[in-house]
Amino acid sequence: NEASKYQPLSNIYRINTDGTYQVLLRNIACTNSICFRQNEDDYKMFVTDSRGWRPQQIKQFDYYSDARMPANASIFTAWSEDKRKTIKGGVDGSVIDSQGYLWNAEFGGSSVVRYNLHGQLDAIVHVPEPYITCCCFGGKDLDTL
């Protein structure tokens, strides 16, 4: 059983401005894909456990502006058998673009994929390297992947 090989030995922490810390999520084997989206009053935090959560998935959490603590976890996107036919890599680092879409590096799959606001596959960008760990935007207008 692949999931049992990777024990959840870590947590996700937030360091506060006063130097104190808070545990946001517990029992993670391999944290990845942490990114945030803000649309007016809607704050979301996205995260995955690349080694522990099966099937592979990116979860979204409400991330409240007052306490900035994640709540109301739900699956943003998950890797079904059909999705596995299209995307060959494993979930890794993510970033949110100016439209609020989530881009995820597919480790081992030579691609970066984009998900719309509802977690549906929107685009696949193939790259010449197999082991992509994260993506970002650059250029004068932050429009270059």
Side-chain angles (χ1 to χ4, degrees), residues 35-53:
C35 57
F36 300 86
R37 179 175 69 208
Q38 176 183 352
N39 292 332
E40 300 187 20
D41 291 332
D42 182 38
Y43 297 87
K44 297 286 186 201
M45 180 178 89
F46 299 87
V47 67
T48 191
D49 183 341
S50 296
R51 296 289 188 185
W53 295 345

Side-chain angles (χ1 to χ4, degrees), residues 54-145:
R54 295 293 180 261
Q56 286 196 354
Q57 57 194 255
I58 297 173
K59 291 185 180 179
Q60 68 180 356
F61 297 82
D62 291 332
Y63 196 66
Y64 297 105
S65 61
D66 53 350
R68 294 281 195 244
M69 294 299 288
N72 303 324
S74 62
I75 295 174
F76 177 69
T77 191
W79 277 242
S80 64
E81 285 301 315
D82 286 342
K83 195 175 199 176
R84 279 268 148 258
K85 295 174 186 173
T86 305
I87 300 173
K88 303 298 182 199
V91 62
D92 213 320
S94 293
V95 66
I96 303 293
D97 69 16
S98 63
Q99 295 176 299
Y101 286 30
L102 185 144
W103 292 78
N104 182 257
E106 300 294 318
F107 186 81
S110 300
S111 62
V112 177
V113 297
R114 183 171 93 163
Y115 296 95
N116 68 19
L117 300 175
H118 307 288
Q120 298 163 329
L121 182 63
D122 182 67
I124 300 174
V125 177
H126 297 283
V127 296
E129 297 297 327
Y131 301 112
I132 309 304
T133 58
C134 200
C135 49
C136 65
F137 291 95
K140 180 182 171 202
D141 297 318
L142 296 176
D143 59 356
T144 303
L145 180 63

